[in-house]
Amino acid sequence: MKTTVDLPEVLVREAQDVARAEGTTLRNLVEEGLRAALERRRSASQFRLPDASVNGNGLRPEFRDSGWNEVRAAIYGDRA
């Protein structure tokens, strides 16, 4: 299939130089690059944060009705 793509002149010249140096055609180089870009997108999955929770019953009873400031003070002492 023929199509027209508008590319920056510098990019085309660089691609032509690479194609010439590798003994291939610009068409083959563009096809290879497009296939690689499509494969990278197909194989890339969305990041999913692993479950790092631990088994337990939540906060200890003495902290269940406490706010973060009270929990932090118990962890780090009274320093701010």
Side-chain angles (χ1 to χ4, degrees):
M1 170 189 262
K2 287 190 175 196
T3 191
T4 301
V5 179
D6 187 24
L7 298 170
E9 187 175 333
V10 171
L11 180 61
V12 173
R13 289 193 195 283
E14 186 178 351
Q16 288 171 331
D17 291 344
V18 169
R20 202 171 10 263
E22 293 183 359
T24 189
T25 64
L26 180 61
R27 178 189 187 278
N28 285 340
L29 191 63
V30 170
E31 183 179 345
E32 180 183 333
L34 185 56
R35 287 183 189 282
L38 292 172
E39 178 59 31
R40 187 174 60 244
R41 282 171 174 76
R42 267 194 300 271
S43 63
S45 61
Q46 287 187 335
F47 175 77
R48 183 172 177 172
L49 186 64
D51 183 3
S53 61
V54 294
N55 292 333
N57 298 320
L59 291 174
R60 292 173 45 177
E62 62 267 29
F63 294 110
R64 290 218 173 120
D65 293 324
S66 301
W68 171 243
N69 288 333
E70 291 85 7
V71 174
R72 186 178 184 283
I75 295 170
Y76 296 106
D78 290 330
R79 59 190 166 106

